[in-house]
Amino acid sequence: MSNDDDRTQSYVPEEMNGGVEGEIERLEAQAALTFDKELFLLRALGLQEDMSILEVGSGSGSVTDRLAEEFESSRIFTVEPDPVLRDAAHRRFLSKDKLRERITALPGSCEHIPLESESVDLAFVRFVFQHLADPILAARELLRVVKPGGRIVVIDFDGELWGLSSPYNSELMPIHARVFAAQSQRGGNRYIGRHLPKILSTAGYVQVALYPFAVSSDEIGIEAFAPIIGPENLLPHVESGLVSMSEYNSVLRDYQRFIDDPTHTVLSLGFLATGVKP
């Protein structure tokens, strides 16, 4: 059985900048930023029409919506532990006739999926494993619901390999390290990207592979990155005392200098790990 207590302490939408509404906006921006690259890899890995898809940690449905648009005959199941995000997704799906009958939104988590064993062709998990205390346990539960020959796809990033920004302010490094350490103390792992292949292999998948993908501000514009890299994302850490107000003000000034610099660029790097159920 699953319930709302499945939510990991490493990710609490209410504690993100702007609360739940702010987090829904950030999730939408995140999907818009990287989904095209993810879709390219999903198709290369064999995802096609009529395959059943499970998305775990589906949030407010920003990626689910896009998957449904791309794979119009696929049945999609979503599992989201946070009740507010799940309700937002449910309202989103109900507002679109072509999604209403094809998407089933369920409570649960990576560790407790309310589906029968061997029931889906693809299990898709985005930016969730970094928040899990036991990602191998989650990978095994996902293995349970995937059909033999079916596939898991896990997308996440690594705090030391996140990409680059130019010009870069090295004073940000200790602040980011402190934020990442705080996530670790709450049961997460901001450096999960490097561990994904071993997690999947240990959980029992075969044909395990890791694929990097990148998105550049020179491709899509710096504005698309603003909700992800903006200094305001540090405000919850200012409120908690993890980041001082003077540090925040310094980051704010540096960010404005970065935006004003005509040579500015951001390159975001993500990792897609995949494996097949034997």
Side-chain angles (χ1 to χ4, degrees):
M1 297 295 290
S2 62
N3 54 56
D4 297 332
D5 292 334
D6 287 327
R7 291 180 294 174
T8 171
Q9 291 184 349
S10 174
Y11 177 69
V12 182
E14 293 89 343
E15 296 179 3
M16 303 297 280
N17 182 51
V20 175
E21 290 303 318
E23 178 61 0
I24 289 174
E25 292 178 6
R26 190 192 69 83
L27 291 172
E28 182 65 36
Q30 184 189 69
L33 189 69
T34 62
F35 181 74
D36 285 348
K37 298 295 177 76
E38 296 169 27
L39 178 63
F40 177 84
L41 290 172
L42 287 171
R43 291 192 185 279
L45 290 167
L47 182 59
Q48 55 189 310
E49 293 287 357
D50 296 321
M51 286 185 170
S52 52
I53 302 169
L54 165 66
E55 184 190 0
V56 181
S58 50
S60 56
S62 54
V63 168
T64 316
D65 199 340
R66 289 167 167 82
L67 284 170
E69 292 282 349
E70 294 293 334
F71 302 98
E72 296 183 348
S73 61
S74 289
R75 181 74 177 169
I76 301 177
F77 301 91
T78 66
V79 171
E80 169 53 50
D82 186 86
V84 179
L85 293 181
R86 191 168 63 244
D87 288 346
H90 185 63
R91 291 192 301 272
R92 181 176 191 147
F93 304 151
L94 286 178
S95 69
K96 299 183 179 182
D97 292 338
K98 59 183 177 180
L99 302 184
R100 192 177 303 155
E101 301 300 322
R102 295 174 44 223
I103 300 177
T104 302
L106 302 167
S109 68
C110 278
E111 300 87 351
H112 302 285
I113 300 171
L115 289 177
E116 297 293 328
S117 298
E118 301 183 353
S119 57
V120 298
D121 296 300
L122 173 76
F124 187 45
V125 192
R126 297 177 70 258
F127 302 107
V128 172
F129 271 37
Q130 64 171 282
H131 297 294
L132 303 180
D134 191 344
I136 294 175
L137 176 65
R140 286 175 174 152
E141 172 66 351
L142 289 156
L143 183 70
R144 179 186 68 80
V145 301
V146 172
K147 298 175 183 178
R151 185 177 291 278
I152 186 175
V153 169
V154 180
I155 289 175
D156 226 305
F157 89 123
D158 191 297
E160 288 184 346
L161 298 167
W162 71 270
L164 60 86
S165 63
S166 178
Y168 180 67
N169 178 9
S170 61
E171 294 178 5
L172 293 172
M173 293 178 65
I175 297 175
H176 289 157
R178 211 179 311 147
V179 171
F180 296 168
Q183 182 171 337
S184 178
Q185 292 170 3
R186 299 177 70 174
N189 182 357
R190 201 71 166 217
Y191 306 99
I192 196 72
R194 69 192 68 179
H195 302 296
L196 293 176
K198 189 171 186 178
I199 289 169
L200 298 189
S201 296
T202 303
Y205 296 87
V206 297
Q207 300 176 39
V208 172
L210 184 68
Y211 299 94
F213 62 92
V215 182
S216 168
S217 58
D218 291 339
E219 290 179 271
I220 60 176
I222 195 69
E223 297 81 7
F225 285 84
I228 311 300
I229 67 172
E232 62 275 5
N233 289 312
L234 289 174
L235 284 173
H237 302 297
V238 174
E239 293 174 5
S240 72
L242 185 66
V243 176
S244 71
M245 183 57 73
S246 63
E247 287 176 316
Y248 175 74
N249 287 332
S250 177
V251 171
L252 199 63
R253 290 190 296 270
D254 179 73
Y255 182 74
Q256 191 57 55
R257 285 194 295 269
F258 168 79
I259 293 297
D260 292 341
D261 190 316
T263 69
H264 64 224
T265 186
V266 177
L267 180 72
S268 175
L269 181 65
F271 296 94
L272 182 152
T274 185
V276 173
K277 180 171 182 174

